[in-house]
């Protein structure tokens, strides 16, 4: 009983940590404003954050009754201030959606007999 509760507790604590750190996003993203390529740096930082969160969510969701994509939705809502540079740049958002669709279709093709 106790070991079944630990993955959910770890997931909840991670979600709270992401929410608290995302409150600092104006200060963290403000560090990039002094560069001549500020928009590009913020976009790359957000993309790296997306990949890091997805990697962490995959491992955090093990042992929980919720599927990883449901947990990713909650983490995406918590990290929304960090993801603003990607959301406001349509070209980058389109590239990420295309890349995600490619991964989903490739994974589905691997599992098809």
């Amino acid at each position: 009983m106790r070991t079944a509760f630990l993955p959910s507790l770890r997931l909840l604590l991670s979600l709270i940590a992401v929410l608290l750190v995302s409150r600092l996003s104006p200060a963290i993203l403000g560090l990039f404003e002094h560069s001549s390529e500020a928009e590009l740096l913020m976009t790359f930082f957000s993309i790296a954050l997306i990949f890091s969160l997805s990697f962490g969510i995959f491992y955090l969701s093990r042992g929980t009754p919720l599927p990883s994509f449901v947990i990713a939705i909650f983490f995406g809502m918590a990290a929304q201030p960090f993801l603003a540079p990607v959301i406001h740049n349509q070209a980058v958002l389109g590239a990420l959606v295309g890349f995600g669709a490619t991964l989903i279709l490739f994974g589905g093709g691997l599992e098809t007999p």
Side-chain angles (χ1 to χ4, degrees):
M1 174 85 179
R2 185 174 187 200
T3 58
F5 180 68
L6 287 178
S8 298
L9 179 65
R10 184 177 31 192
L11 185 68
L12 182 64
L13 291 176
S14 299
L15 184 63
I16 291 171
V18 167
L19 184 63
L20 291 176
V21 170
S22 70
R23 299 282 181 174
L24 300 173
S25 68
I28 294 172
L29 292 176
L31 296 173
F32 301 123
E33 290 179 359
H34 303 294
S35 174
S36 61
E37 298 289 334
E39 184 179 346
L40 186 63
L41 282 173
M42 287 189 284
T43 302
F44 281 144
F45 175 74
S46 296
I47 290 172
L49 184 68
I50 289 171
F51 286 129
S52 300
L53 278 176
S54 65
F55 181 78
I57 289 167
F58 174 74
Y59 286 105
L60 283 172
S61 66
R62 288 184 176 181
T64 61
L66 294 173
S68 62
F69 72 90
V70 173
I71 295 169
I73 292 171
F74 291 122
F75 272 86
M77 290 189 313
Q80 191 268 336
F82 273 129
L83 305 177
V86 172
I87 295 169
H88 297 301
N89 191 339
Q90 295 297 321
V92 174
L93 188 60
L96 280 175
V97 168
F99 181 69
T102 303
L103 285 178
I104 290 170
L105 291 173
F106 180 73
L110 288 178
E111 295 178 8
T112 303

